[in-house]
């Protein structure tokens, strides 16, 4: 507990007017805790960390934390982060997004950031709904579920964010839940240390909107659902496909070494300066 | 024997923009290919890495301006270049740059519109969009070049104004100016005035990132230099944190306007020629200003007392220049390659002083001196 208090004093902004905007019982605080613990363990200086967000519940996260913080436009966080990282590669740039932010309005930016393999970490809080605007369906709302804009049930099919990131070329992809807090700590740390584009998808609950509309209970029941439906990559390897039908994987889904954009661009600079022809 | 000036070069408007940007200290360019602005990106992609700068081709124009703003927050002078369809996409993040007060330069090479319109033909249809394209009340600075030399000069000016006022600056070029080649004599290195944003001098714990100052432009810290502050597109208090307090919102928006309005003379540039007691004064900008200048000369040869005003600064609108002209000219003619955009501003300022007539052309061709002369003879 003492350790925890120390982290709060070190990383939360003293001059920011708390309380925060999130609902009681929200999992976003667990995600923020994991993020801070991972940063503390690695030992980044606060001055070298840039925390970038888009719009939505997750978008409000950077304001509370004592880093260089940037709250951008909806879906565009990765584009701003790209500019920061390329202009000042020494900075550790972490992007926090929600599911609507990252794969609806920002979906194109997401796949291209992954494809470029820019050294950024994208943390995506996936709660299957647009929470801040009042519970509309998102690209990760499962088929057949209700939201305030699918009161007759959702007839669209959900994106699998982590699988999308793997296919788009991210160097590291991990998925956790806010229930499996220890695992999340580890995934964040691995993602931050990875050279290249790293993604951590955080499965979370929105009991206020999504849970209420679909009668899934409160935060406790929704956390229990995460416990009962998440299977680690290691356990899944020992399970039959039919046992996995209503489950989802957590853990490290991809970890590969690919040419990193900033390093490659530095080579371009050296070639350009050496007068090596454009056609050389 | 006269020594050949090494700074004398044959340049295209878009090339002059790139040269001007590099001279101004631009070290980051993010863009998306679009006719008729693509040459700027191509040149920057070759030249920036030689100068330890960075070029990136983003997935669209929204992303391009996002990356430009991100780079600028690290203290790097940054720009993008586009045309109408891309300019429309950039409006979202243009507003962000206004509210978060992030310097950046956006070149919009104007082609015919709306929509895909006329990709390879000139127009001046984005003048009002440059002012009001992004939502909400915001100040805006927009310049418009008539010549290749001006493409160079105004790009530098755009960076200087952007750094000085912490506001995005839009440089408008008619397609014909961007693609025209002219001999220009570039100024010697070191003879060009370059302005860099003011950084905080106080220690980080004293830094108030959006503090009101007499100039209305707070010093700007770069990310990674020890001043850990919050930048947001939400309306914010002086510390940069979101606010919904009327006593903080009002003064903030007022400051955004004040920082520009109290410095109009430093921003507004143009040319005023023989407007006193003129039978007719022609007010023009961009490529049309060149035709207008010629037409005015021809009109004078025919005995018509013709005045000429060129607007180099489009926004903020040069009321202080236009109003006296309206008071002293019998007729004011505003020729432009749109259905009447700057003429609306002239009419707004007019208040019944005189008669304001227009010459509008939107067929993808330039307005010629003859066409303007004919109109002068018709209405003078």
């Amino acid at each position: 507990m003492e350790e925890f208090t120390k982290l709060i004093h070190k990383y939360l902004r003293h001059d920011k007017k708390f309380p925060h905007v999130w609902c009681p019982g929200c999992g976003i605080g667990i995600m923020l805790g994991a993020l801070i613990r991972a940063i503390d363990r690695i030992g980044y200086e606060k001055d070298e960390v840039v925390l970038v967000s888009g719009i939505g519940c997750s978008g409000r996260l950077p304001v509370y934390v004592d880093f260089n913080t940037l709250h951008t436009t909806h879906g565009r966080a990765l584009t701003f982060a790209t500019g920061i990282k390329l202009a000042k590669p020494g900075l550790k740039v972490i992007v926090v997004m929600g599911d609507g932010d990252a794969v609806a309005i920002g979906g194109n930016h997401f796949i291209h950031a992954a494809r470029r393999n820019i050294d950024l970490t994208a943390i995506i809080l996936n709660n299957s709904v647009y929470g801040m605007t009042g519970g509309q369906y998102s690209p990760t709302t499962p088929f057949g579920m209700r939201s305030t804009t699918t009161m007759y049930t959702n007839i669209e099919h959900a994106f699998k964010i982590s699988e999308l990131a793997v296919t788009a070329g991210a160097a590291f992809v991990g998925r956790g839940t806010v229930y499996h807090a220890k695992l999340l700590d580890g995934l964040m740390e691995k993602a931050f240390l990875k050279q290249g584009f790293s993604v951590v998808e955080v499965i979370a609950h929105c009991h206020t909107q999504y849970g209420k509309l679909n009668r899934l209970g409160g935060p406790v029941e929704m956390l229990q659902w995460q416990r009962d439906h998440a299977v680690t990559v290691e356990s899944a390897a020992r399970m039959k496909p039919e046992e996995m039908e209503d489950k989802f994987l957590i853990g490290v889904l991809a970890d590969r070494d690919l040419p990193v954009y900033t390093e490659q661009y530095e080579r371009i600079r050296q070639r350009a300066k050496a007068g090596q022809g454009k056609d050389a | 024997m006269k020594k050949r000036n090494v700074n004398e070069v044959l340049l295209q408007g878009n090339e002059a923009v790139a040269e001007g940007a590099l001279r101004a200290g631009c070290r980051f360019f993010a863009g998306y290919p679009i006719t008729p602005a693509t040459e700027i990106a191509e040149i920057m992609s070759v030249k920036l890495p030689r100068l330890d700068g960075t070029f990136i081709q983003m997935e669209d124009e929204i992303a391009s301006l996002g990356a430009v703003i991100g780079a600028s927050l690290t203290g790097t002078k940054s720009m993008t270049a586009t045309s109408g369809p891309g300019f429309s996409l950039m409006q979202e993040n243009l507003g962000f740059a206004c509210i978060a007060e992030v310097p950046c330069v956006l070149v919009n090479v104007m082609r015919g519109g709306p929509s895909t319109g006329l990709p390879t033909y000139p127009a001046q249809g984005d003048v009002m969009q440059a002012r009001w394209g992004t939502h909400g009340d915001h100040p805006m600075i927009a310049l418009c070049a008539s010549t290749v030399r001006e493409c160079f000069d105004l790009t530098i000016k755009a960076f200087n104004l952007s750094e000085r006022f912490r506001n995005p600056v839009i440089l408008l070029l008619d397609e014909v100016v961007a693609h025209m080649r002219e001999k220009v004599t570039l100024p010697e290195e070191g003879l060009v005035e370059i302005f860099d944003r003011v950084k905080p001098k106080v220690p980080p714990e004293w830094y108030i990132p959006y503090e009101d100052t007499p100039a209305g432009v707070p010093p700007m810290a770069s990310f990674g230099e020890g001043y850990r502050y919050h930048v947001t597109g939400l309306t914010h208090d002086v510390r940069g944190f979101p606010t919904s307090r009327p006593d903080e919102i009002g003064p903030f928006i007022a400051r955004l306007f004040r920082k520009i309005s109290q410095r109009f003379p430093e921003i507004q540039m143009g040319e005023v020629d023989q407007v006193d007691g003129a039978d007719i004064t022609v007010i023009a900008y961009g490529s049309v200003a060149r035709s207008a200048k010629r037409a005015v000369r021809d009109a004078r040869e025919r005995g018509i007392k013709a005045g000429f005003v060129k607007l180099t600064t489009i926004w903020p609108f040069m009321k202080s220049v236009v109003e006296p002209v309206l008071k002293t000219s019998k007729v004011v003619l505003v020729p432009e390659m749109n259905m009447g955009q700057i003429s609306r501003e002239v009419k707004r300022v007019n208040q019944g002083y005189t008669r304001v007539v227009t010459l509008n052309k939107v067929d993808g061709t330039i307005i010629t001196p003859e066409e303007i002369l004919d109109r002068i003879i018709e209405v003078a």
Side-chain angles (χ1 to χ4, degrees):
Chain A
M1 198 64 206
E2 195 187 322
E3 195 60 28
F4 203 67
T5 312
K6 249 194 252 173
L7 288 183
I8 287 172
H9 281 280
K10 185 172 175 190
Y11 292 102
L12 296 192
R13 275 186 169 133
H14 302 273
D15 53 356
K16 173 68 194 119
K17 294 155 258 173
F18 279 87
H20 54 67
V21 298
W22 302 311
C23 303
C26 180
I28 203 165
I30 299 171
M31 179 182 93
L32 177 58
L35 185 148
I36 286 172
R37 286 189 292 274
I39 285 175
D40 192 67
R41 272 199 307 280
I42 296 168
Y44 291 124
E45 291 294 327
K46 289 195 286 185
D47 285 338
E48 63 177 326
V49 176
V50 185
L51 197 58
V52 186
S53 70
I55 297 293
C57 296
S58 64
R60 297 303 187 96
L61 186 142
V63 77
Y64 304 113
V65 199
D66 189 20
F67 301 120
N68 303 283
T69 55
L70 174 60
H71 177 209
T72 71
T73 42
H74 196 19
R76 321 299 177 206
L78 281 168
T79 71
F80 286 68
T82 297
I84 294 167
K85 186 67 187 179
L86 298 192
K88 237 182 206 177
L91 293 171
K92 180 70 205 167
V93 186
I94 300 165
V95 184
V96 182
M97 296 171 283
D99 42 292
D101 208 23
V103 294
I105 190 165
N108 199 31
H109 309 308
F110 180 61
I111 56 174
H112 285 281
R115 174 183 68 79
R116 288 190 188 104
N117 200 31
I118 293 181
D119 190 17
L120 303 169
T121 299
I123 298 169
I124 301 161
L125 185 96
N126 180 0
N127 61 5
S128 310
V129 78
Y130 286 87
M132 187 163 268
T133 46
Q136 298 76 30
Y137 75 108
S138 90
T140 59
T141 303
F143 184 88
M145 301 305 275
R146 276 156 58 97
S147 74
T148 56
T149 44
T150 52
M151 291 305 276
Y152 302 104
T153 74
N154 180 24
I155 54 169
E156 296 183 17
H157 303 278
F159 259 138
K160 291 175 177 170
I161 295 177
S162 290
E163 284 76 358
L164 179 67
V166 173
T167 310
F172 178 92
V173 181
R175 180 161 49 212
T177 78
V178 290
Y179 176 84
H180 302 86
K182 283 259 180 200
L183 175 79
L184 201 55
D185 279 24
L187 287 176
M188 295 248 187
E189 191 175 339
K190 285 188 186 111
F192 295 159
L193 291 171
K194 183 71 189 178
Q195 293 294 303
F197 191 72
S198 53
V199 177
V200 180
E201 181 188 0
V202 184
I203 303 293
H205 53 278
C206 178
H207 52 283
T208 309
Q209 313 288 4
Y210 184 71
K212 187 176 73 181
L213 285 164
N214 291 290
R215 306 211 170 125
L216 301 173
V220 174
E221 291 76 19
M222 293 183 81
L223 280 162
Q224 284 167 343
W225 181 90
Q226 291 168 25
R227 178 194 65 194
D228 299 338
H229 292 81
V231 178
T232 61
V233 174
E234 295 75 21
S235 303
R238 297 189 297 270
M239 288 165 69
K240 295 189 190 94
E242 54 269 28
E243 290 176 290
M244 281 298 291
E245 252 167 29
D246 63 338
K247 305 284 195 295
F248 61 91
L249 284 176
I250 53 171
V252 177
L253 304 183
D255 188 355
R256 50 199 170 182
D257 292 319
L258 302 164
V260 179
Y261 191 97
T262 38
E263 286 168 15
Q264 294 299 311
Y265 198 82
E266 189 49 41
R267 288 191 194 181
I268 296 276
R269 287 198 188 108
Q270 298 313 322
R271 281 180 55 199
K273 279 189 267 190
Q276 289 174 4
K278 289 160 266 168
D279 36 35
Chain B
M1 197 179 112
K2 197 181 162 204
K3 200 176 149 196
R4 189 181 159 269
N5 189 339
V6 287
N7 296 316
E8 216 167 65
V9 280
L10 182 69
L11 281 184
Q12 187 196 49
N14 279 339
E15 291 170 351
V17 166
E19 289 302 322
L22 296 171
R23 192 75 78 86
C26 174
R27 291 297 177 268
F28 186 90
F29 184 104
Y32 186 82
I34 188 164
T35 305
T38 309
E39 291 88 352
I40 302 172
E42 287 175 344
I43 295 163
M44 296 302 259
S45 78
V46 173
K47 294 199 170 178
L48 274 172
R50 292 183 195 154
L51 300 166
D52 280 321
T54 309
F55 167 90
I56 185 167
Q57 184 171 306
M58 297 298 285
E59 53 274 19
D60 58 31
E61 287 89 348
I62 301 170
S64 301
L65 192 52
V68 162
I69 294 168
S72 184
L73 284 166
T74 72
T76 310
K77 288 187 187 178
S78 307
M79 75 176 295
T80 186
T82 188
S83 186
F87 191 47
S88 290
L89 289 183
M90 287 181 184
Q91 297 305 326
E92 179 190 33
N93 283 336
L94 190 60
F96 185 94
C98 288
I99 197 169
E101 299 177 76
V102 184
C104 55
V105 172
L106 195 171
V107 179
N108 175 22
V109 183
M110 292 187 285
R111 66 193 223 188
S115 191
T116 311
L118 299 163
T120 58
Y121 296 100
Q124 296 178 321
D126 307 348
V127 168
M128 277 292 171
Q129 189 187 17
R131 179 65 193 90
W132 298 112
T134 193
H135 58 276
D137 282 311
H138 57 278
M140 189 52 74
I141 301 174
L143 314 175
C144 184
S146 297
T147 67
V148 171
R149 172 64 199 256
E150 267 189 357
C151 290
F152 177 85
D153 291 340
L154 293 184
T155 302
I156 295 170
K157 188 79 184 173
F159 272 100
N160 288 350
L161 291 172
S162 173
E163 293 282 314
R164 182 173 188 116
F165 293 103
R166 291 189 60 178
N167 206 75
V169 176
I170 297 164
L171 175 60
L172 298 169
L173 310 179
D174 312 347
E175 179 277 338
V176 66
V177 174
H179 279 156
M180 171 170 59
R181 285 182 190 277
E182 288 184 296
K183 187 178 85 172
V184 288
T185 308
L186 297 180
E188 298 275 348
E189 289 276 354
L191 289 182
V192 178
E193 189 196 337
I194 304 292
F195 187 90
D196 296 332
R197 69 189 68 169
V198 175
K199 291 196 173 191
K201 291 177 184 74
V202 297
E205 58 273 24
W206 293 358
Y207 181 51
I208 302 170
Y210 291 95
E211 188 178 23
D212 200 351
T213 60
V217 185
M220 185 176 178
S222 302
F223 277 176
E225 289 180 351
Y227 296 81
R228 298 185 302 273
Y229 70 109
H230 188 61
V231 179
T232 178
L234 283 166
T235 304
H236 41 269
D237 62 18
V238 291
R239 307 203 67 90
F241 298 135
T243 183
S244 47
R245 279 175 47 180
D247 63 328
E248 291 177 334
I249 299 166
F252 167 61
I253 299 296
R255 178 176 64 76
L256 289 187
F257 277 81
R258 196 189 82 225
K259 71 177 178 182
I260 306 288
S261 62
Q262 68 186 9
R263 298 285 175 165
F264 275 176
E266 290 168 48
I267 301 168
Q268 296 182 326
M269 298 169 293
E271 195 180 321
V272 181
D273 181 40
Q274 296 180 40
V275 293
D276 289 339
D279 296 324
I280 182 165
T281 296
V282 183
I283 300 177
Y285 55 95
S287 64
V288 181
R290 301 178 73 152
S291 294
K293 201 170 190 174
R294 173 61 193 255
V296 164
R297 204 174 73 197
D298 291 348
R300 286 173 189 159
E301 280 174 11
R302 290 168 188 241
I304 301 170
K305 275 186 80 181
F308 171 68
V309 172
K310 181 175 118 173
L311 305 175
T312 305
T313 300
I314 302 291
W315 305 113
F317 187 67
M318 297 213 285
K319 187 182 171 191
S320 59
V321 169
V322 170
E323 196 167 29
V325 171
L326 288 162
K327 284 179 178 169
T328 57
S329 299
K330 286 185 190 141
V331 184
V332 165
L333 168 64
V334 187
E336 46 186 342
M337 287 190 284
N338 55 46
M339 292 303 283
Q341 297 196 14
I342 283 298
S343 62
R344 293 174 72 100
E345 279 296 295
V346 175
K347 285 172 184 169
R348 180 179 65 80
V349 173
N350 187 26
Q351 307 279 349
Y353 300 131
T354 189
R355 190 158 61 102
V356 177
V357 296
T358 61
L359 169 55
N360 307 112
K361 201 173 179 192
V362 287
D363 63 2
T365 62
I366 59 167
I367 300 179
T368 63
E370 294 73 25
E371 285 167 323
I372 297 173
L373 181 63
D374 287 348
R375 187 79 170 128
I376 289 173
I377 293 166
E378 186 187 335
V379 299

